Amino acid sequence: MLRKMILPIILLSFAAPLAVVANTATPPVDQLSAAQIVEKNVAARGGLQAWRAVKTMSMSGKLDAGGKQNVQLPFVLEMERTRKTRLELLFNGQTAVQVYDGTNGWKLRPFLNRHEVEPYTPEELKSASMQTDLDGPLVDYAAKGTKVELAGVQQVEGHDTYNLKLTLKNGQVQHIWVDAQTFLDVKVEGTPRRLNGRFHPVETYLRDYRSVNGLMIPYVNETVVESVKKTEKIMVEKVVVNPNLEASRFSKPQ
């Protein structure tokens, strides 16, 4: 969830080695339907009512900037239903800001010597509009118009997982892998990234789950892009559930 929100906003992305996923695996003993797996996933993450009660959320921590020096940049991500996001990223003493109000988006990138607020490009707007809300794609999936199917059982980092195929309301297809023991999301298919004239598959791995107000939140998100050696990480340090966020936080930056 976190990476899918941050990366389309800051135009980065995170990943993990594709080699850890096997094509075949011995299915776990318990055979469950897709609906049952989703039900167990939502319960493992804190429960349906608890997630429905979340209206806003903020996260802060550090993310990889890439490059040989392995620089980590402090960030603050604020979210509000529905799909409203504000990201602040500190780089070389300057703060970059990217905001999406659910319909329109803006960005301020002083580290690129761009000191005027710029609107999102059509491609960025499309990407932002397709991101899941702060509770992720499986909570209230039917109400969101999403169809979920069990695509099989695979190994992810040595664990049996259920491969869920999601067909979103707009027809977009996405896969999510749910651990067969903990029922927490452990891998999410990301939006393919265009490099050298072609699109490369992107996968995000979710790790180090911690309880915040009874909700299970992954504190480490690592993403891999096919054919790219270096992975990208987001390390969350603090999560606040239902902070009081002023409406102006999701308005066009000044």
Side-chain angles (χ1 to χ4, degrees):
M1 176 181 68
L2 175 59
R3 190 69 187 185
K4 285 180 67 59
M5 291 183 174
I6 287 188
L7 294 189
I9 301 172
I10 61 176
L11 305 181
L12 298 171
S13 118
F14 59 57
L18 297 175
V20 300
V21 183
N23 291 326
T24 59
T26 302
V29 176
D30 295 328
Q31 293 295 317
L32 302 173
S33 67
Q36 290 173 319
I37 295 168
V38 172
E39 183 179 2
K40 288 180 175 292
N41 169 263
V42 175
R45 292 179 56 219
L48 184 59
Q49 296 308 316
W51 276 105
R52 284 177 174 172
V54 179
K55 305 303 179 184
T56 61
M57 183 179 291
S58 69
M59 297 181 176
S60 59
K62 294 182 174 65
L63 59 86
D64 290 340
K68 296 181 180 180
Q69 296 181 347
N70 195 29
V71 177
Q72 295 181 338
L73 305 181
F75 75 87
V76 176
L77 175 66
E78 298 173 334
M79 299 168 281
E80 179 178 303
R81 295 186 189 273
T82 305
R83 294 192 182 92
K84 296 181 180 180
T85 58
R86 178 188 179 91
L87 176 73
E88 295 184 0
L89 185 68
L90 184 62
F91 182 73
N92 282 345
Q94 302 182 90
T95 301
V97 181
Q98 298 203 20
V99 176
Y100 180 66
D101 67 2
T103 303
N104 299 299
W106 305 271
K107 55 195 176 186
L108 180 63
R109 301 176 290 176
F111 56 88
L112 295 178
N113 290 322
R114 297 185 178 183
H115 300 281
E116 300 294 330
V117 176
E118 303 170 89
Y120 273 21
T121 65
E123 184 178 351
E124 290 167 355
L125 276 178
K126 180 180 178 181
S127 178
S129 69
M130 292 171 63
Q131 300 313 308
T132 58
D133 214 340
L134 52 77
D135 54 14
L138 295 181
V139 174
D140 280 325
Y141 71 92
K144 295 173 181 176
T146 299
K147 178 182 177 181
V148 181
E149 303 170 83
L150 178 59
V153 177
Q154 294 178 321
Q155 285 250 318
V156 175
E157 299 187 315
H159 296 271
D160 285 337
T161 66
Y162 295 104
N163 178 357
L164 297 181
K165 176 185 176 183
L166 281 63
T167 303
L168 308 184
K169 188 176 182 179
N170 61 7
Q172 179 189 8
V173 174
Q174 180 187 32
H175 288 260
I176 295 178
W177 287 259
V178 174
D179 189 282
Q181 296 298 318
T182 66
F183 287 95
L184 295 173
D185 314 31
V186 292
K187 188 176 76 164
V188 178
E189 180 182 24
T191 302
R193 195 185 303 184
R194 187 166 185 170
L195 299 170
N196 300 322
R198 71 181 185 89
F199 288 96
H200 296 249
V202 175
E203 293 178 333
T204 295
Y205 292 72
L206 312 177
R207 306 187 182 102
D208 191 17
Y209 275 88
R210 305 182 194 180
S211 179
V212 181
N213 289 23
L215 304 176
M216 295 300 291
I217 307 291
Y219 270 57
V220 175
N221 297 260
E222 186 174 9
T223 299
V224 66
V225 181
E226 184 184 64
S227 301
V228 177
K229 292 183 179 180
K230 183 176 174 56
T231 65
E232 302 161 351
K233 281 186 178 181
I234 291 177
M235 288 73 66
V236 176
E237 297 173 349
K238 183 179 180 181
V239 178
V240 180
V241 177
N242 283 329
N244 183 21
L245 301 177
E246 297 292 336
S248 60
R249 300 292 290 170
F250 304 101
S251 300
K252 181 179 179 179
Q254 299 301 313

